[in-house]
Amino acid sequence: QKEVEQNSGPLSVPEGAIASLNCTYSDRGSQSFFWYRQYSGKSPELIMSIYSNGDKEDGRFTAQLNKASQYVSLLIRDSQPSDSATYLCAVIQSGTSYGKLTFGQGTILTVHP
Amino acid sequence: NAGVMQNPRHLVRRRGQEARLRCSPMKGHSHVYWYRQLPEEGLKFMVYLQKENIIDESGMPKERFSAEFPKEGPSILRIQQVVRGDSAAYFCASSPPGIGTDTQYFGPGTRLTVL
């Protein structure tokens, strides 16, 4: 079992729709969770961090965390073509007091006009 | 406020040569992480350094790879006797000391090509 798994995609949504990206993790003691966006040929860019169960909203982005189910998701409302990128879920596993990130494989999102 | 800087952005080496990748963290950041992204693969942690100290090198291959973050100057990731399998994008990330040290900001990366 992979430590961090993401739905493989690619995911294609029409402009204006909600894009839903999912991630599960194996280490039940993980405490810190992140979503990064990576455009082709570019570096990862931090979109959201979440530490507590529930929802966290920032503009068009909402991160959802459910520690009991070991599940974290990212919703993108009113998707735009500029949102087309690879989305990376990252986790800091238990027993780590610093920012050693374990990444999922990424989900490729395409938003078509 | 300049972001994380890496150079060179592209590096071409022949098999057996040495590659030196440099990373200057954001101003005020004293924690540096190196990650590698192989073609068609995800990002993998390599090493975590603070000034003059290697804290965690569990993701770094035991042979040919080394990293340092001296008191003055950038962090260096050094790959000796490169092989084709070292071709990848190498990203550096930095974070500040104290609270919030788990939030990292990535540099633009160095794309290493081994011929």
Side-chain angles (χ1 to χ4, degrees), chain B residues 45-99:
Chain B
F45 168 82
M46 298 182 75
V47 61
Y48 163 52
L49 310 102
Q50 296 179 14
K51 283 286 186 181
E52 299 185 278
N53 286 300
I54 298 174
I55 308 300
D56 182 344
E57 56 183 348
S58 60
M60 203 148 68
K62 296 287 186 282
E63 316 236 330
R64 302 187 298 108
F65 285 73
S66 63
E68 63 176 11
F69 189 15
K71 186 177 181 181
E72 302 290 339
S75 175
I76 306 286
L77 179 67
R78 182 183 178 203
I79 311 172
Q80 295 178 288
Q81 299 176 315
V82 296
V83 299
R84 289 223 173 106
D86 297 332
S87 295
Y90 292 82
F91 292 100
C92 164
S94 73
S95 64
I99 297 172

Side-chain angles (χ1 to χ4, degrees), chain A residues 29-109:
Chain A
S30 299
Q31 295 295 325
S32 304
F33 307 87
F34 305 86
W35 283 99
Y36 284 84
R37 177 176 62 198
Q38 187 176 27
Y39 292 112
S40 181
K42 302 296 185 183
S43 61
E45 173 191 7
L46 180 65
I47 298 176
M48 297 278 285
S49 59
I50 187 166
Y51 304 93
S52 304
N53 279 329
D55 296 359
K56 179 181 178 182
E57 189 174 314
D58 184 359
R60 296 186 296 112
F61 298 97
T62 299
Q64 299 173 316
L65 175 61
N66 184 326
K67 290 185 179 179
S69 300
Q70 295 174 236
Y71 175 91
V72 57
S73 66
L74 180 71
L75 300 177
I76 307 174
R77 289 182 300 281
D78 188 25
S79 296
Q80 302 297 310
S82 58
D83 294 327
S84 298
T86 298
Y87 288 80
L88 303 169
C89 173
V91 172
I92 295 177
Q93 297 181 312
S94 59
T96 305
S97 60
Y98 45 88
K100 177 181 177 181
L101 295 171
T102 299
F103 284 89
Q105 289 291 92
T107 299
I108 299 172
L109 171 66

